[in-house]
Amino acid sequence: MRKVIIAGNWKMNKTLAEASDFMDAVIPKAPGGNTEAIVCAPFVHLPALVEKAKGSNVKVAAQNMHFEESGAYTGEVSPTMLTDIGVTHVVIGHSERREYYAETDESVNQKTKAAFAHGLTPIVCVGETLEQREANETMDVVGGQVKKALAGLSDEQVTQTIIAYEPIWAIGTGKTASSEDANEVCAKTRKVIAEITSGDIADQVVIQYGGSVKPANIDELLSQSDIDGALVGGASLEPESFVQLVEAGTK
Ligand SMILES: O=C(CO)COP(=O)(O)O
């Protein structure tokens, strides 16, 4: 059975009490097996959530980090700080960070390298705007983002990278890409990875789809040849719906 990774990106949501309640509800129901469940939480909740998740089938991710280990970067959090508290994954280059916080392909690459240098697994986000899709630029944009993010990584590191294809026009809008369209971009993304590494390596890379994923559409998305999981925003906030999404991976 192929490996499936369902990651819930909470974005800037939940108090500590709400985050803890979520973990208490989800941990006993997380199925494990071929399906990995990851909760991407705000920085301030990470120590408590890592503690709760110990020995369970739920992993805890940060939603961003700096690429330097330490220094005069007011307000930032380093990879060393994340590994020190037991975080295992980190989301890098989410479109909201690219749009609102001047994240660039270059900083995404620096952060991806820093993640591996510190034993963190990066979830690298890529995706096109509606204008780019309508101008038939989707693969130029997504392929370019993927190549730049992975530049300078070893084959082994590429194998371990999780790519999240999130068309920007489908995020938080209720508009999901059709599963065929999403699969087409994921398949072409795998080809781009094969070109810079090899087919064998590209086949092992987990490529997630993200953008209005919910229990009602997860089965169809996961039934596609090149979609190995999902990065979920809104529908990851409620324990019941997150558990349903994770269970879909085991089918
Ligand atoms: O941005 C996303 C996950 O990172 C997707 O968000 P929604 O699932 O709310 O569309």
Side-chain angles (χ1 to χ4, degrees):
M1 229 180 172
R2 70 173 170 161
K3 182 170 160 191
V4 173
I5 301 183
I6 306 292
N9 176 11
W10 288 353
K11 308 189 179 182
M12 197 173 71
N13 289 291
K14 292 194 188 293
T15 62
L16 179 57
E18 289 164 352
S20 298
D21 288 350
F22 177 99
M23 293 301 264
D24 289 341
V26 165
I27 283 172
K29 294 184 181 160
N34 71 316
T35 305
E36 202 164 279
I38 306 176
V39 168
C40 313
F43 286 129
V44 289
H45 302 337
L46 293 175
L49 300 193
V50 167
E51 206 48 43
K52 276 200 181 279
K54 272 191 185 144
S56 81
N57 292 323
V58 179
K59 298 209 159 69
V60 178
Q63 298 174 9
N64 176 42
M65 67 174 191
H66 200 279
F67 47 82
E68 294 285 0
E69 281 180 21
S70 62
Y73 300 103
T74 301
E76 290 291 304
V77 170
S78 78
T80 322
M81 295 172 192
L82 296 178
T83 46
D84 181 50
I85 59 164
V87 168
T88 52
H89 293 68
V90 58
V91 178
I92 293 174
H94 191 281
S95 59
E96 287 149 16
R97 295 214 57 88
R98 291 181 193 252
E99 183 178 355
Y100 306 134
Y101 303 98
E103 193 85 76
T104 62
D105 286 333
E106 193 192 7
S107 63
V108 168
N109 179 241
Q110 285 172 301
K111 292 179 180 193
T112 305
K113 286 180 178 158
F116 282 117
H118 292 85
L120 292 159
T121 301
I123 303 172
V124 175
C125 303
V126 295
E128 82 286 5
T129 62
L130 188 57
E131 295 69 41
Q132 290 164 335
R133 171 159 284 256
E134 284 171 350
N136 286 323
E137 292 167 5
T138 299
M139 273 328 292
D140 284 349
V141 172
V142 173
Q145 288 173 332
V146 167
K147 278 187 198 157
K148 287 175 194 152
L150 302 180
L153 297 190
S154 69
D155 286 356
E156 178 62 24
Q157 290 168 337
V158 172
T159 311
Q160 288 166 24
T161 303
I162 301 167
I163 302 287
Y165 166 57
E166 300 203 305
I168 294 168
W169 49 271
I171 295 178
T173 56
K175 285 187 204 158
T176 326
S178 74
S179 45
E180 291 79 17
D181 284 350
N183 191 54
E184 188 187 345
V185 178
C186 292
K188 286 183 178 166
T189 298
R190 207 177 292 287
K191 283 215 178 93
V192 169
I193 299 171
E195 280 162 23
I196 56 174
T197 56
S198 72
D200 267 4
I201 287 165
D203 281 346
Q204 291 173 60
V205 175
V206 169
I207 303 182
Q208 299 175 313
Y209 167 76
S212 299
V213 175
K214 42 191 179 288
N217 59 25
I218 187 79
D219 288 341
E220 204 190 319
L221 287 162
L222 291 183
S223 72
Q224 300 293 318
S225 61
D226 284 271
I227 301 178
D228 309 315
L231 183 58
V232 189
S236 76
L237 291 170
E238 292 303 323
E240 298 74 29
S241 104
F242 185 64
V243 167
Q244 283 178 47
L245 294 167
V246 176
E247 278 173 349
T250 64
K251 287 179 192 161

